[in-house]
Amino acid sequence: QVQLVESGGGLVQTGGSLRLSCSASGGIFSSYTMGWIRQAPGQEREFVATISWNGGNLWYSNSVKGRFTISRDNAEKTMYLQMNNLKPEDTAVYYCAASRGPFKVGRLEYDYWGPGTQVTVSS
């Protein structure tokens, strides 16, 4: 079983950047498909980005494509989300998650979740 903890959230102005990190402990990090999911108050959960076990396959939602970059370092057991050109609509709690299943585009069933980190983009 893997434990996940996000970090790097905070308050940033429109157009700014943040890099989120997701540190893993326990389990075999390199065996998991990983992803970032966000949820804004009163809104449904949105799947933002997914990365395969070796980083060879990536997927992004249309709302972040071209602005966000997902990556991972299996040796460090860490996943990242580089967020550039942030917009107020990116304001949400961002969760990292791990799936024992294979990579696929779009919505994925995740087995393990971190507690989340708040990202707030001011206009």
Side-chain angles (χ1 to χ4, degrees), residues 7-21 36 38 67-71 79-87 90-94 117-122:
S7 61
L11 174 64
V12 64
Q13 292 185 332
T14 296
S17 298
L18 283 175
R19 188 175 83 152
L20 304 183
S21 298
W36 289 96
R38 67 186 182 186
R67 300 187 298 122
F68 290 11
T69 303
I70 189 172
S71 62
M79 177 180 64
Y80 304 97
L81 187 69
Q82 177 67 43
M83 305 186 296
N84 298 329
N85 190 22
L86 283 160
K87 305 175 181 180
D90 295 318
T91 296
V93 177
Y94 284 70
T117 186
Q118 177 71 46
V119 171
T120 303
V121 185
S122 63

Side-chain angles (χ1 to χ4, degrees), residues 16-98:
S17 298
L18 283 175
R19 188 175 83 152
L20 304 183
S21 298
C22 172
S23 296
S25 60
I28 303 174
F29 179 75
S30 60
S31 69
Y32 295 107
T33 300
M34 299 293 296
W36 289 96
I37 304 94
R38 67 186 182 186
Q39 188 164 24
Q43 297 189 22
E44 291 189 356
R45 187 178 290 176
E46 179 184 8
F47 290 75
V48 173
T50 311
I51 186 168
S52 61
W53 70 274
N54 63 353
N57 290 293
L58 307 175
W59 170 83
Y60 298 96
S61 69
N62 288 334
S63 62
V64 307
K65 195 175 297 183
R67 300 187 298 122
F68 290 11
T69 303
I70 189 172
S71 62
R72 67 190 294 166
D73 184 335
N74 286 342
E76 295 295 325
K77 296 185 177 182
T78 304
M79 177 180 64
Y80 304 97
L81 187 69
Q82 177 67 43
M83 305 186 296
N84 298 329
N85 190 22
L86 283 160
K87 305 175 181 180
E89 51 264 42
D90 295 318
T91 296
V93 177
Y94 284 70
Y95 300 91
C96 71

